[in-house]
Amino acid sequence: MAKILMGLIAAIVIVAGGFFGFERYMQHRVAGEVEAGFAQLHAAGGKASHGKVSFDLKTRTVMIADIVSETAGPSPVNVKIASITASGTRQPDATRFAADTIEIADVEVGMTIAQPDGRVTYKAPRVTVKDYSGPAGWQQQPASSALVDVYRSVIEQFVRTNASSVTIPTIAGTMNFGAAGPASGEFSYSGVSLRDTRDGTIAAMTVDAFTFAINSQQAGPPQKLTGDLANFAAYDFDASAAAAALDPQKASDERSYRVYRQISTGPYTITANPDVRMRIDGFTIDDVAMRPSRLQLPALLAAMPPPGAAPTPAQIRELTDKAAKLYEGMRVGNIEMRGFSMETPQGPVKLAAIRFNLENGKIGEFAFEGLDARAPNGPVKVGRFALKSLDIANLLRMSAQFSSPGQTPSPDQVLGMLALLDGIEVKGFVAPHKKTGKPIIIDNLDLNWGQFVGPIPTRLRLIAKVAGPVDATDPTQVPFANAGMDRLAFDLDLGAAWSEQPRAFVLEPVTIELGSLLKATARVSLANVPRGVFSFNPVQATSMAAQIDAGTLELALRDLGGVDLAVAQFARAQGIGRDAARRNVVDSIRTNAEQTAGANPDVTAISQALIRFIENPGQTLIVKLT
C-alpha cells in the first residue's frame, strides 16, 4: 500500500510540474508574440512599450499591462491602456488569434486636430469584446505615414476582424483647438455598442446618448455652446466602400458600394449662451452608397495647397471640380430631418420636416415643410417649399468659373444656372404685407422648365394661385381701392413648349383669373420657329425671328366685373358720369375701327364684338385669328 501511495504522489508531482512548466513556456511564448507585435510599431517609426505579460493555462487567459504607444508622423496618435485581458484564447491557425472575451481597462487616446497644439483626447474606463477573431498581428504596415495610407491600413485590418459584440459603457473626451482657435470643450458618449462585426461589416452601431460643451474665448464675452443627442443608430455598415474610396487602384471602378442601410437619431438639442436653443426631434438617412471612380479622396487631398498658403484661382477650380466629383460619387436614398424648432431673441422658429435625396451629384428634390417663423412685421408660414432636381456638382463647377478676382459673370452664364434646377414649388405661404400688415397668401406656386437651347429653356409650365391686400398707396392699385376692393386674388396656368422637329411653338394652356374682375383663356401657336431664335445675341435672334410664321390665336375673355371697374376709373379720370364714359369708350373703338377697316376687313368684326362686350357687362368675348 505504501508503494502504491508513494507512486501516486510521484505521478501527481510529475504532472503538476509538467503543467506549470508548460504554463511558463506558454507565458514566454505569449510575451514573445506581444514583443513581435510591438516591434512592428517600432519598425514603422512609432513608439511602444508594455508592462507585465501573463498567461493562465487553465482559463487560457492572456493579460498585458501598462501599454503605451505613439504613432510616427507630424500628427501622432498616443494610446495608453492600463490592461488588456483576453480569456478563452486560442489560435485557429498560424495567422489568426481568437478569444471568447477581451476586456480593455482604462483606455486613453489622444491626437492632434489642429497644428501646432490643437488636441482631442478620448477616455474609456472599459471596453468589452465578445467572440473575437482576428489577425495575430498587424498584417501589413501602412505604405507611409500619410493619413490616407494609415486609414487604408486600419480598414484592411478591420476587414479581417470579427466579433459578436463590442460594448463601451462610457467615453469621455476633451478638445482644445489651441492657436488655431481660442476654444475648448468636453464631450461624452454613453451606451456605445457594435453588434455582429464580420468581414468588414457591422450589423448595428448604437449610442444611447452623446453630450458636448464648447467654451469660446473670442473677443467680447465668453460664449458657451452645449448639446446632446439621443438614440443614435447605424445599420449594415460596410467598410469595403471606404476601402475602395481610399484605393487609387479603384479609380476606374464604376460600381456602387453601399456604406449604410440606414442611420437614425432621436432628439438632438443645442443651446448657445442661453438665448438660442435649437431642437431636432430626429434624423433618418437611408441607403448611403459610394462610387469609387468619383470618390477618390487621395486625389482631393493631393490637390490641396500647403497649410497657410492661399490657393490660386487655378487651384480653386481644381479643388472645386474634385469636390463636385465627390457629390457625383455619392448616393443617398433619403435624408429626413423632423421636428426642427429654435428659440431666438426675435421669436421662435419651427419647421416640421426637411427631406432630400442625392444621386450622381443631383438632389432629386430638396423640400422643407411646415415652416412657422416671424418676420419684423409679423408671422410667416410656409406649408411646403421645394427645389426640383438641383445639380449640386455642376453648381460647384460653375461657381468656380468666377473665382478670379474682378471677374463678372455674363448674362448667358447667369441664365445658364437655370439648367441646374428643374423647378420650384411653394404651397401654403402666408406672410404680412410690408405696408398694410395684412397677409399675402400663396396657395400654390408650381414652376417647371427644361429642354434647353444653350442657356434658354424652351419648355415652361407655371401654375399659381396668389392673393394679397390692396395697397391704396400704390398708384397702380388705387383703382381697386376706389372700387371698394381690399384684396386681389390671382390664378394662373401658363404653359409654353417648342418642338425642334416640326419647329413649332405653342403657348398652351393659358388661363388667367383676376379675382372678381375677369377670367381669360388663350391658345397661341407659331410655325417655322428656328432653333437660332433662342439666343442672347439680339442680331441673331432678330434675323431668325423673321422666319417665323404666325399660326392661330384663340382668346376667350369673360367679364367678372372688370369692365365696370375700368369704365368707372375712366369716368373718374375724365370727370364725367359712368354712362357718358362708357359711350366715349364705345365711340373711340368705333372711330378707330372705321379708320383701319380698309387695311384689314376683320377689324370691323372685332370692334363690334368689343363694343358688345363693353356695353353688356358680364359677357364673354371670344376671338379667333388664323
Side-chain angles (χ1 to χ4, degrees), residues 180-215:
S184 61
E186 56 188 23
F187 55 89
S188 67
Y189 300 83
S190 62
V192 180
S193 174
L194 283 69
R195 178 172 57 81
D196 294 337
T197 300
R198 184 172 301 277
D199 301 327
T201 64
I202 303 175
M205 295 181 284
T206 59
V207 179
D208 292 342
F210 166 70
T211 64
F212 69 87
I214 299 176
N215 298 297

mmCIF file of all heavy atoms in Angstrom, residues 180-215:
data_model
loop_
_atom_site.group_PDB
_atom_site.id
_atom_site.type_symbol
_atom_site.label_atom_id
_atom_site.label_comp_id
_atom_site.label_asym_id
_atom_site.label_seq_id
_atom_site.Cartn_x
_atom_site.Cartn_y
_atom_site.Cartn_z
ATOM 1 N N ALA A 180 -5.098 77.527 -33.199
ATOM 2 C CA ALA A 180 -5.985 77.590 -34.371
ATOM 3 C C ALA A 180 -7.310 78.264 -34.046
ATOM 4 O O ALA A 180 -8.008 78.728 -34.928
ATOM 5 C CB ALA A 180 -6.237 76.173 -34.897
ATOM 6 N N GLY A 181 -7.682 78.326 -32.782
ATOM 7 C CA GLY A 181 -8.941 78.963 -32.397
ATOM 8 C C GLY A 181 -9.088 78.900 -30.892
ATOM 9 O O GLY A 181 -8.982 77.822 -30.303
ATOM 10 N N PRO A 182 -9.295 80.033 -30.237
ATOM 11 C CA PRO A 182 -9.352 80.053 -28.769
ATOM 12 C C PRO A 182 -10.637 79.414 -28.250
ATOM 13 O O PRO A 182 -11.559 80.096 -27.820
ATOM 14 C CB PRO A 182 -9.276 81.536 -28.447
ATOM 15 C CG PRO A 182 -9.865 82.211 -29.647
ATOM 16 C CD PRO A 182 -9.504 81.354 -30.828
ATOM 17 N N ALA A 183 -10.712 78.087 -28.313
ATOM 18 C CA ALA A 183 -11.899 77.389 -27.837
ATOM 19 C C ALA A 183 -11.488 76.037 -27.279
ATOM 20 O O ALA A 183 -10.486 75.439 -27.698
ATOM 21 C CB ALA A 183 -12.912 77.211 -28.968
ATOM 22 N N SER A 184 -12.251 75.561 -26.308
ATOM 23 C CA SER A 184 -12.012 74.253 -25.724
ATOM 24 C C SER A 184 -13.359 73.662 -25.346
ATOM 25 O O SER A 184 -14.373 74.370 -25.284
ATOM 26 C CB SER A 184 -11.105 74.357 -24.494
ATOM 27 O OG SER A 184 -11.718 75.171 -23.504
ATOM 28 N N GLY A 185 -13.363 72.384 -25.073
ATOM 29 C CA GLY A 185 -14.625 71.763 -24.718
ATOM 30 C C GLY A 185 -14.452 70.356 -24.226
ATOM 31 O O GLY A 185 -13.338 69.817 -24.143
ATOM 32 N N GLU A 186 -15.583 69.746 -23.906
ATOM 33 C CA GLU A 186 -15.602 68.373 -23.454
ATOM 34 C C GLU A 186 -16.841 67.694 -24.007
ATOM 35 O O GLU A 186 -17.824 68.352 -24.375
ATOM 36 C CB GLU A 186 -15.594 68.304 -21.924
ATOM 37 C CG GLU A 186 -16.720 69.074 -21.261
ATOM 38 C CD GLU A 186 -16.587 69.154 -19.758
ATOM 39 O OE1 GLU A 186 -15.457 69.013 -19.262
ATOM 40 O OE2 GLU A 186 -17.617 69.352 -19.097
ATOM 41 N N PHE A 187 -16.788 66.354 -24.093
ATOM 42 C CA PHE A 187 -17.900 65.600 -24.657
ATOM 43 C C PHE A 187 -17.931 64.226 -24.016
ATOM 44 O O PHE A 187 -16.950 63.785 -23.388
ATOM 45 C CB PHE A 187 -17.770 65.495 -26.178
ATOM 46 C CG PHE A 187 -16.457 64.921 -26.635
ATOM 47 C CD1 PHE A 187 -16.288 63.548 -26.799
ATOM 48 C CD2 PHE A 187 -15.373 65.747 -26.897
ATOM 49 C CE1 PHE A 187 -15.081 63.020 -27.212
ATOM 50 C CE2 PHE A 187 -14.158 65.224 -27.320
ATOM 51 C CZ PHE A 187 -14.011 63.852 -27.476
ATOM 52 N N SER A 188 -19.033 63.533 -24.184
ATOM 53 C CA SER A 188 -19.143 62.187 -23.630
ATOM 54 C C SER A 188 -20.147 61.371 -24.434
ATOM 55 O O SER A 188 -21.106 61.910 -24.986
ATOM 56 C CB SER A 188 -19.578 62.237 -22.165
ATOM 57 O OG SER A 188 -20.902 62.732 -22.057
ATOM 58 N N TYR A 189 -19.879 60.066 -24.505
ATOM 59 C CA TYR A 189 -20.787 59.092 -25.099
ATOM 60 C C TYR A 189 -21.175 58.093 -24.014
ATOM 61 O O TYR A 189 -20.361 57.777 -23.141
ATOM 62 C CB TYR A 189 -20.125 58.314 -26.238
ATOM 63 C CG TYR A 189 -19.625 59.133 -27.394
ATOM 64 C CD1 TYR A 189 -18.381 59.766 -27.345
ATOM 65 C CD2 TYR A 189 -20.373 59.256 -28.564
ATOM 66 C CE1 TYR A 189 -17.912 60.516 -28.413
ATOM 67 C CE2 TYR A 189 -19.910 59.991 -29.640
ATOM 68 C CZ TYR A 189 -18.674 60.621 -29.552
ATOM 69 O OH TYR A 189 -18.207 61.349 -30.610
ATOM 70 N N SER A 190 -22.376 57.563 -24.098
ATOM 71 C CA SER A 190 -22.774 56.502 -23.182
ATOM 72 C C SER A 190 -23.535 55.436 -23.954
ATOM 73 O O SER A 190 -24.246 55.729 -24.917
ATOM 74 C CB SER A 190 -23.649 57.047 -22.051
ATOM 75 O OG SER A 190 -24.843 57.609 -22.551
ATOM 76 N N GLY A 191 -23.358 54.203 -23.514
ATOM 77 C CA GLY A 191 -24.065 53.091 -24.148
ATOM 78 C C GLY A 191 -23.651 52.841 -25.579
ATOM 79 O O GLY A 191 -24.498 52.644 -26.449
ATOM 80 N N VAL A 192 -22.321 52.814 -25.844
ATOM 81 C CA VAL A 192 -21.824 52.558 -27.194
ATOM 82 C C VAL A 192 -21.784 51.047 -27.425
ATOM 83 O O VAL A 192 -21.265 50.294 -26.595
ATOM 84 C CB VAL A 192 -20.424 53.166 -27.389
ATOM 85 C CG1 VAL A 192 -19.917 52.892 -28.798
ATOM 86 C CG2 VAL A 192 -20.458 54.666 -27.106
ATOM 87 N N SER A 193 -22.329 50.604 -28.551
ATOM 88 C CA SER A 193 -22.390 49.175 -28.832
ATOM 89 C C SER A 193 -22.260 48.915 -30.319
ATOM 90 O O SER A 193 -22.842 49.635 -31.141
ATOM 91 C CB SER A 193 -23.717 48.597 -28.322
ATOM 92 O OG SER A 193 -23.865 47.243 -28.692
ATOM 93 N N LEU A 194 -21.468 47.891 -30.666
ATOM 94 C CA LEU A 194 -21.351 47.388 -32.035
ATOM 95 C C LEU A 194 -21.773 45.928 -32.016
ATOM 96 O O LEU A 194 -21.307 45.149 -31.159
ATOM 97 C CB LEU A 194 -19.926 47.504 -32.567
ATOM 98 C CG LEU A 194 -19.432 48.877 -33.021
ATOM 99 C CD1 LEU A 194 -19.259 49.815 -31.849
ATOM 100 C CD2 LEU A 194 -18.095 48.738 -33.767
ATOM 101 N N ARG A 195 -22.621 45.532 -32.967
ATOM 102 C CA ARG A 195 -23.127 44.164 -32.987
ATOM 103 C C ARG A 195 -22.812 43.489 -34.310
ATOM 104 O O ARG A 195 -22.975 44.075 -35.374
ATOM 105 C CB ARG A 195 -24.639 44.174 -32.747
ATOM 106 C CG ARG A 195 -25.303 42.815 -32.779
ATOM 107 C CD ARG A 195 -26.752 42.893 -32.341
ATOM 108 N NE ARG A 195 -27.530 43.823 -33.151
ATOM 109 C CZ ARG A 195 -28.044 43.517 -34.345
ATOM 110 N NH1 ARG A 195 -27.848 42.329 -34.873
ATOM 111 N NH2 ARG A 195 -28.749 44.423 -34.998
ATOM 112 N N ASP A 196 -22.341 42.235 -34.207
ATOM 113 C CA ASP A 196 -22.084 41.389 -35.374
ATOM 114 C C ASP A 196 -21.127 42.054 -36.365
ATOM 115 O O ASP A 196 -21.495 42.418 -37.494
ATOM 116 C CB ASP A 196 -23.400 41.026 -36.087
ATOM 117 C CG ASP A 196 -24.293 40.142 -35.234
ATOM 118 O OD1 ASP A 196 -23.762 39.475 -34.335
ATOM 119 O OD2 ASP A 196 -25.518 40.122 -35.468
ATOM 120 N N THR A 197 -19.884 42.204 -35.925
ATOM 121 C CA THR A 197 -18.820 42.704 -36.794
ATOM 122 C C THR A 197 -18.194 41.519 -37.506
ATOM 123 O O THR A 197 -17.658 40.614 -36.861
ATOM 124 C CB THR A 197 -17.761 43.438 -35.959
ATOM 125 O OG1 THR A 197 -18.372 44.536 -35.279
ATOM 126 C CG2 THR A 197 -16.639 43.955 -36.833
ATOM 127 N N ARG A 198 -18.262 41.525 -38.840
ATOM 128 C CA ARG A 198 -17.770 40.370 -39.581
ATOM 129 C C ARG A 198 -17.354 40.785 -40.987
ATOM 130 O O ARG A 198 -18.127 41.409 -41.712
ATOM 131 C CB ARG A 198 -18.850 39.284 -39.657
ATOM 132 C CG ARG A 198 -18.423 37.985 -40.337
ATOM 133 C CD ARG A 198 -19.485 36.913 -40.178
ATOM 134 N NE ARG A 198 -19.738 36.631 -38.773
ATOM 135 C CZ ARG A 198 -18.995 35.807 -38.024
ATOM 136 N NH1 ARG A 198 -17.952 35.197 -38.572
ATOM 137 N NH2 ARG A 198 -19.281 35.611 -36.769
ATOM 138 N N ASP A 199 -16.102 40.444 -41.342
ATOM 139 C CA ASP A 199 -15.589 40.664 -42.698
ATOM 140 C C ASP A 199 -15.786 42.103 -43.173
ATOM 141 O O ASP A 199 -16.176 42.364 -44.313
ATOM 142 C CB ASP A 199 -16.258 39.702 -43.687
ATOM 143 C CG ASP A 199 -16.034 38.241 -43.316
ATOM 144 O OD1 ASP A 199 -14.954 37.938 -42.768
ATOM 145 O OD2 ASP A 199 -16.935 37.419 -43.554
ATOM 146 N N GLY A 200 -15.549 43.050 -42.280
ATOM 147 C CA GLY A 200 -15.640 44.453 -42.655
ATOM 148 C C GLY A 200 -17.026 45.042 -42.588
ATOM 149 O O GLY A 200 -17.223 46.183 -42.999
ATOM 150 N N THR A 201 -17.996 44.282 -42.084
ATOM 151 C CA THR A 201 -19.350 44.800 -41.947
ATOM 152 C C THR A 201 -19.735 44.845 -40.473
ATOM 153 O O THR A 201 -19.233 44.072 -39.662
ATOM 154 C CB THR A 201 -20.372 43.932 -42.703
ATOM 155 O OG1 THR A 201 -20.409 42.625 -42.111
ATOM 156 C CG2 THR A 201 -20.002 43.827 -44.169
ATOM 157 N N ILE A 202 -20.656 45.761 -40.137
ATOM 158 C CA ILE A 202 -21.199 45.866 -38.786
ATOM 159 C C ILE A 202 -22.714 45.900 -38.928
ATOM 160 O O ILE A 202 -23.272 46.785 -39.584
ATOM 161 C CB ILE A 202 -20.706 47.129 -38.063
ATOM 162 C CG1 ILE A 202 -19.171 47.159 -38.005
ATOM 163 C CG2 ILE A 202 -21.285 47.193 -36.657
ATOM 164 C CD1 ILE A 202 -18.616 48.436 -37.410
ATOM 165 N N ALA A 203 -23.389 44.929 -38.297
ATOM 166 C CA ALA A 203 -24.845 44.867 -38.434
ATOM 167 C C ALA A 203 -25.521 46.067 -37.801
ATOM 168 O O ALA A 203 -26.482 46.609 -38.352
ATOM 169 C CB ALA A 203 -25.373 43.574 -37.813
ATOM 170 N N ALA A 204 -25.023 46.511 -36.635
ATOM 171 C CA ALA A 204 -25.653 47.651 -35.967
ATOM 172 C C ALA A 204 -24.640 48.349 -35.081
ATOM 173 O O ALA A 204 -23.842 47.700 -34.394
ATOM 174 C CB ALA A 204 -26.852 47.202 -35.140
ATOM 175 N N MET A 205 -24.657 49.677 -35.104
ATOM 176 C CA MET A 205 -23.872 50.515 -34.198
ATOM 177 C C MET A 205 -24.846 51.441 -33.492
ATOM 178 O O MET A 205 -25.617 52.144 -34.158
ATOM 179 C CB MET A 205 -22.828 51.337 -34.967
ATOM 180 C CG MET A 205 -21.754 50.510 -35.651
ATOM 181 S SD MET A 205 -20.534 51.535 -36.510
ATOM 182 C CE MET A 205 -21.476 52.021 -37.953
ATOM 183 N N THR A 206 -24.839 51.459 -32.178
ATOM 184 C CA THR A 206 -25.773 52.287 -31.428
ATOM 185 C C THR A 206 -25.047 53.073 -30.343
ATOM 186 O O THR A 206 -24.048 52.614 -29.792
ATOM 187 C CB THR A 206 -26.885 51.435 -30.784
ATOM 188 O OG1 THR A 206 -26.293 50.464 -29.906
ATOM 189 C CG2 THR A 206 -27.701 50.709 -31.846
ATOM 190 N N VAL A 207 -25.580 54.263 -30.074
ATOM 191 C CA VAL A 207 -25.107 55.108 -28.970
ATOM 192 C C VAL A 207 -26.347 55.618 -28.255
ATOM 193 O O VAL A 207 -27.213 56.247 -28.865
ATOM 194 C CB VAL A 207 -24.258 56.286 -29.485
ATOM 195 C CG1 VAL A 207 -23.810 57.158 -28.318
ATOM 196 C CG2 VAL A 207 -23.055 55.794 -30.270
ATOM 197 N N ASP A 208 -26.435 55.338 -26.953
ATOM 198 C CA ASP A 208 -27.617 55.769 -26.202
ATOM 199 C C ASP A 208 -27.685 57.291 -26.079
ATOM 200 O O ASP A 208 -28.759 57.887 -26.199
ATOM 201 C CB ASP A 208 -27.628 55.140 -24.809
ATOM 202 C CG ASP A 208 -27.856 53.632 -24.864
ATOM 203 O OD1 ASP A 208 -28.333 53.146 -25.906
ATOM 204 O OD2 ASP A 208 -27.542 52.954 -23.859
ATOM 205 N N ALA A 209 -26.527 57.923 -25.824
ATOM 206 C CA ALA A 209 -26.546 59.378 -25.631
ATOM 207 C C ALA A 209 -25.170 59.960 -25.932
ATOM 208 O O ALA A 209 -24.144 59.306 -25.741
ATOM 209 C CB ALA A 209 -26.958 59.728 -24.202
ATOM 210 N N PHE A 210 -25.175 61.206 -26.411
ATOM 211 C CA PHE A 210 -23.952 61.954 -26.677
ATOM 212 C C PHE A 210 -24.172 63.387 -26.205
ATOM 213 O O PHE A 210 -25.206 63.996 -26.509
ATOM 214 C CB PHE A 210 -23.615 61.938 -28.167
ATOM 215 C CG PHE A 210 -22.575 62.947 -28.578
ATOM 216 C CD1 PHE A 210 -21.254 62.799 -28.189
ATOM 217 C CD2 PHE A 210 -22.917 64.064 -29.339
ATOM 218 C CE1 PHE A 210 -20.296 63.730 -28.554
ATOM 219 C CE2 PHE A 210 -21.971 64.996 -29.709
ATOM 220 C CZ PHE A 210 -20.653 64.825 -29.315
ATOM 221 N N THR A 211 -23.231 63.938 -25.444
ATOM 222 C CA THR A 211 -23.330 65.326 -24.977
ATOM 223 C C THR A 211 -22.015 66.034 -25.232
ATOM 224 O O THR A 211 -20.954 65.396 -25.303
ATOM 225 C CB THR A 211 -23.659 65.389 -23.472
ATOM 226 O OG1 THR A 211 -22.564 64.811 -22.732
ATOM 227 C CG2 THR A 211 -24.936 64.646 -23.157
ATOM 228 N N PHE A 212 -22.089 67.369 -25.378
ATOM 229 C CA PHE A 212 -20.868 68.154 -25.551
ATOM 230 C C PHE A 212 -21.077 69.554 -24.997
ATOM 231 O O PHE A 212 -22.216 70.039 -24.869
ATOM 232 C CB PHE A 212 -20.448 68.230 -27.024
ATOM 233 C CG PHE A 212 -21.368 69.032 -27.891
ATOM 234 C CD1 PHE A 212 -21.216 70.410 -28.042
ATOM 235 C CD2 PHE A 212 -22.414 68.424 -28.570
ATOM 236 C CE1 PHE A 212 -22.066 71.146 -28.838
ATOM 237 C CE2 PHE A 212 -23.280 69.151 -29.372
ATOM 238 C CZ PHE A 212 -23.105 70.519 -29.503
ATOM 239 N N ALA A 213 -19.961 70.202 -24.678
ATOM 240 C CA ALA A 213 -19.965 71.603 -24.229
ATOM 241 C C ALA A 213 -18.692 72.249 -24.746
ATOM 242 O O ALA A 213 -17.592 71.718 -24.545
ATOM 243 C CB ALA A 213 -20.030 71.693 -22.712
ATOM 244 N N ILE A 214 -18.817 73.391 -25.434
ATOM 245 C CA ILE A 214 -17.671 74.100 -26.014
ATOM 246 C C ILE A 214 -17.666 75.520 -25.471
ATOM 247 O O ILE A 214 -18.683 76.221 -25.511
ATOM 248 C CB ILE A 214 -17.749 74.119 -27.556
ATOM 249 C CG1 ILE A 214 -17.724 72.695 -28.109
ATOM 250 C CG2 ILE A 214 -16.592 74.925 -28.135
ATOM 251 C CD1 ILE A 214 -17.905 72.617 -29.604
ATOM 252 N N ASN A 215 -16.522 75.940 -24.989
ATOM 253 C CA ASN A 215 -16.335 77.302 -24.485
ATOM 254 C C ASN A 215 -15.438 78.064 -25.451
ATOM 255 O O ASN A 215 -14.334 77.620 -25.764
ATOM 256 C CB ASN A 215 -15.698 77.276 -23.097
ATOM 257 C CG ASN A 215 -16.580 76.568 -22.084
ATOM 258 O OD1 ASN A 215 -17.675 77.009 -21.794
ATOM 259 N ND2 ASN A 215 -16.103 75.442 -21.562
#
